[in-house]
Each structure stands twice: as C-alpha cells, then as structure tokens.
Amino acid sequence: MDAVEISRLQFAVTGSVHYLFVTLSLGLVLFVVAFQTLWTFRKDPVHERLTKFWGRLYVVNYGAGIIGGLVMEFQFGLNWAGLAHVTGNVLGGPIAIETLVAFFIEATFLGMWIFGWGRIPRLLHLGLIWVVAITAYVSAYWILAANAFLQHPVGHEIRDGVAFLTDFGALMRNPNLLDAVQHVVSAAVVTGALFVAGVSAWQLLRRTPDVIEFRRSLRFAVVALPIGVYPAIHFGFLQEVVIEQSQPGKLAAMYADPERTLRVQQELAARFGPGDWLPPDWVSVPYQIMMQTTFGLALLSIVLLVLLIRNWVVRLRVPLYLLVALIPVPFVLVICGWLVREVGRQPWAVYGVLSTEDAASPLSTGAAAASFTGFAVVLGGLVLLNIVLLGRFARRGIEDDALGMPLGATLGSSTSDDDSVLVGR
C-alpha cells in the first residue's frame, strides 16, 4: 500500500471507532433524560436508580468518545493537509461550531450534572441533562453538515484552487444533510435501545436483586426500538434519491448492477475525463448487511412489543438471551452505514472537486505506516478500556454511591416508606 491508501485506512479506523462512541452516547442520553424526567415529576425512586445507573454508563462512554474525537482531529491535520488547504474556508465554520458545542457547552453542562447531585434543585438538575442531550444532537448536526459538503459540495466557489463559502444557507440546506441527520438520529435510538435492552436482560438473567428497575428499563428499550428502527429504514431509503442525483457511482456500487455500473461509468468518464470513477465493488456487501439486518430488527421489534403482554419477554427467558446477543449488532450496522457513505464517495474526498489523492498529505509510506500503527494502538486500547469499564459498571448493578452521591440525596427529594416497599428495599 502507498501513503494515500494507508491514510485512508487510518481515517477509516479513527472515524469508525469515534462513530461507535458517538452513536451509543446519542442513544443512551435519551434514556437518561427520560428516566430523570420521570423521577423529577413522579418522585419515583425506581427512576432515580435507573437515572444514576444508566447515567454512569453514559459518562464512561462519553469520556471515551471525547478522547476518540481528539485523536481523530489529530489525524485530520497529519494525513489530510490537501483537504484542509482546499476546503478549510468552508469546513472550518461547521467544525468550529461543533467543537464549541461539544467541548464547551455539552461537556460543561455534563460536568455540572455529574457534580450537581444533591447540591442544586431537582428541576435545575434536570435542565442540565436536557441541555446535554440537546447539544449532543446539535453537535451531530454540524458534523453531518461538514460531511454533507464532502458528499455534495454546495454554497461555495473556487478561487485559485481554494474553496470559499458563498452561501451559508445552502450549506445548511444541503440535500445530502437533512435525511442523513434523521437517519443517524434513528440509528442512535436503535443503538441505545438495544444496548439498554441487552444490559437489562443480562441483569435479569443473572437474577439481580434490582428486578423492578431492570424490568422497567427493559420495557422502555423494547418500546423505543421500533421508534428508531422504522424511521432509520425510511430515511435510509430517502437518501438514495439524493445519492442517485449527486453520486450515481455510489448507488451503482451499492446495488451491484452490472448494467447500471457500465452506464454510470460511461457518464462519469464523459463528465470528468478518462479514468475509473466508481467506488470499489465491495461497498454492496456492507450495504446488504445493513439493509437486511435492519429489516430483521424491524420485524423483531414488533414481536418484542407483543411479548411485553403479561411480561412474556421476561417469563419466557429466551427473548432475554436474544437481547443480550443483539448488543453488538447496532454497532456493526452503523459501521456498515459509515463505510457505504464514505467509501462510496471514492475516488473523491470532495465529490467532483477534490480527489482523495490530492487531499492527502505528502507523507512517505513509512511515515504514514508509523502514524497508522500509533493511532490504531491508541484507539484499540481506548475501545478495550471502554468495553471493560462499561462491563464493570454494568456488572455492579445499581449502587448507592453512583456518581458520587447517595440515592435520595437530591435537593427537594424524599423517599417514603411506601417507595421502599415499591422497590423491594
């Protein structure tokens, strides 16, 4: 492999790993918000315990995601100097806004939420986690806005080989952006639902003393699963309409249709000149895995809803084993989707404007290989650490001192004798 191919592989690794953390954080924060909202207004200690249990797992994964994001920023500067030179005037704005939202607003409010237990009023504390959740999705929007420009560059003009932003509104209304945002949000809901359902099922199988809590989180997750999976399918197919117009080569590779592939190659050669303008054929493999598996999850989500009747999903036990086994599935699916979106753009870094070869930094093969090895080791260790920590805290179950404050210690809260009876304490 030459330096460009190694740089592409490095970006694939850093992007994939970071995307795993982000997807779980986006999905898991919704459950934390839901449980804390119910606890705040119903004053049910079951929801307080669920908030602190899932909140701790969210914080662990969020921290890993921050580190992964920093690593990804470093590889942008190291391996893709050509991309920064040509498109920095356009991409700099969305990425800077995302950084301000994620690293300043989101992280600051999350810190206040973590250390605010028992120290600030209940409603104010609830508002903090709502801000965290909202800014997380706003952050995702700005990153996808930058990525949409790579997929379908709009609102710019080229001067002396450098892109300059001329229409900020066009950048925000990019046809490659809106459906993609809703698809990613839906995928995050699916990821969070299957993670919560799987961990809850695992706790019930190991006969946890916190049966009421994990039954409730399991029910929440089962209800949330179809809310995520059906929109994910819908907005996934809507994106194909835009892809057919802006990136016909990607769609031809996704469906692996020889006649369409030949026709599109001829059209692209007439547009860009002689050369191979189609992405690799193997893009159809992750696309088929993603599509077929998601259809299966859609059917399964309905079956699980039916099994909620009379609590069959727990009493039959088999669905619990299935849900535990499904924990890694959404992570595989989001990586498949990312591969289709990014590799399907090849051989362009910015479609029709900047080739991947021109976007890469002028590194030697040895330097690129050393960089890739270092980044892969760091990110591999980060993934392993995240899995170990998530597993450790999930295994502990619901603890009294989670997030540094005893249960029932929030200002304005009270746990009555009836509440103790309710949760079996």
Side-chain angles (χ1 to χ4, degrees):
M1 291 192 296
D2 59 18
V4 175
E5 292 175 326
I6 295 174
S7 295
R8 288 181 58 197
L9 185 60
Q10 179 173 308
F11 179 77
V13 172
T14 55
S16 299
V17 171
H18 182 57
Y19 192 23
L20 293 177
F21 297 139
V22 170
T23 305
L24 180 57
S25 292
L26 289 174
L28 200 52
V29 73
L30 298 177
F31 288 87
V32 179
V33 167
F35 291 136
Q36 184 163 353
T37 301
L38 290 171
W39 168 47
T40 300
F41 292 101
R42 292 186 178 181
K43 299 179 175 59
D44 183 351
V46 171
H47 292 123
E48 179 189 11
R49 295 182 174 92
L50 289 174
T51 301
K52 300 196 79 172
F53 175 79
W54 295 111
R56 182 160 61 178
L57 296 185
Y58 169 72
V59 169
V60 169
N61 185 76
Y62 181 89
I66 290 293
I67 299 173
L70 291 174
V71 174
M72 189 172 182
E73 294 291 339
F74 280 123
Q75 72 91 33
F76 265 120
L78 179 63
N79 294 81
W80 303 102
L83 177 66
H85 173 71
V86 175
T87 65
N89 295 311
V90 178
L91 299 182
I95 293 177
I97 294 174
E98 188 276 336
T99 302
L100 289 171
V101 171
F103 286 93
F104 288 90
I105 301 177
E106 184 182 356
T108 299
F109 277 80
L110 180 60
M112 294 169 64
W113 181 80
I114 294 171
F115 296 106
W117 288 88
R119 297 177 177 87
I120 60 178
R122 186 193 295 258
L123 281 174
L124 180 58
H125 193 252
L126 173 64
L128 295 176
I129 195 62
W130 270 96
V131 173
V132 170
I134 292 171
T135 51
Y137 281 90
V138 171
S139 175
Y141 174 85
W142 286 107
I143 282 295
L144 286 170
N147 183 266
F149 179 82
L150 304 180
Q151 307 288 339
H152 182 54
V154 296
H156 76 288
E157 65 179 17
I158 303 294
R159 305 175 199 160
D160 298 325
V162 176
F164 290 88
L165 185 63
T166 58
D167 188 346
F168 186 77
L171 192 67
M172 296 297 97
R173 297 189 303 271
N174 192 326
N176 207 286
L177 170 62
L178 300 180
D179 290 333
V181 169
Q182 295 174 92
H183 182 68
V184 167
V185 169
S186 302
V189 174
V190 173
T191 304
L194 286 176
F195 181 80
V196 171
V199 173
S200 300
W202 178 68
Q203 286 284 357
L204 293 171
L205 286 170
R206 65 195 294 259
R207 302 188 183 281
T208 174
D210 305 307
V211 174
I212 294 177
E213 287 85 348
F214 287 110
R215 278 187 179 180
R216 190 164 300 183
S217 61
L218 177 63
R219 295 180 69 90
F220 267 83
V222 169
V223 172
L225 181 57
I227 296 176
V229 71
Y230 283 96
I233 295 173
H234 173 71
F235 291 112
F237 280 119
L238 283 184
Q239 288 183 83
E240 294 188 8
V241 178
V242 178
I243 292 173
E244 186 173 16
Q245 299 172 353
S246 60
Q247 299 180 25
K250 177 186 290 188
L251 199 63
M254 287 164 55
Y255 282 98
D257 183 348
E259 294 184 3
R260 172 183 282 184
T261 299
L262 179 60
R263 174 176 55 82
V264 170
Q265 169 60 27
Q266 293 173 346
E267 294 174 354
L268 293 176
R271 177 181 175 186
F272 298 117
D276 184 8
W277 302 106
L278 293 176
D281 296 337
W282 59 262
V283 170
S284 63
V285 176
Y287 174 73
Q288 290 297 327
I289 292 174
M290 176 180 59
M291 184 172 63
Q292 300 301 332
T293 306
T294 306
F295 285 156
L297 289 178
L299 295 175
L300 177 64
S301 68
I302 301 302
V303 174
L304 291 173
L305 281 177
V306 174
L307 291 178
L308 285 181
I309 301 173
R310 295 184 178 275
N311 206 33
W312 288 336
V313 70
V314 175
R315 292 163 61 186
L316 293 178
R317 310 294 282 180
V318 174
L320 297 180
Y321 287 102
L322 177 61
L323 288 170
V324 174
L326 287 175
I327 290 177
V329 169
F331 299 102
V332 174
L333 295 182
V334 297
I335 293 301
C336 287
W338 185 87
L339 288 173
V340 172
R341 184 172 177 86
E342 298 302 301
V343 178
R345 189 172 71 246
Q346 294 304 313
W348 300 101
V350 183
Y351 194 84
V353 174
L354 180 67
S355 69
T356 302
E357 185 175 354
D358 292 334
S361 300
L363 299 175
S364 66
T365 302
S371 169
F372 170 70
T373 302
F375 278 71
V377 169
V378 171
L379 288 171
L382 185 62
V383 171
L384 181 61
L385 178 63
N386 192 44
I387 292 174
V388 169
L389 290 177
L390 288 175
R392 177 177 299 175
F393 287 118
R395 191 182 307 113
R396 287 182 182 179
I398 297 173
E399 295 182 315
D400 184 66
D401 61 347
L403 297 175
M405 185 59 62
L407 293 166
T410 302
L411 292 179
S413 67
S414 62
T415 304
S416 66
D417 294 337
D418 291 339
D419 289 334
S420 300
V421 173
L422 174 64
V423 297
R425 296 293 190 272

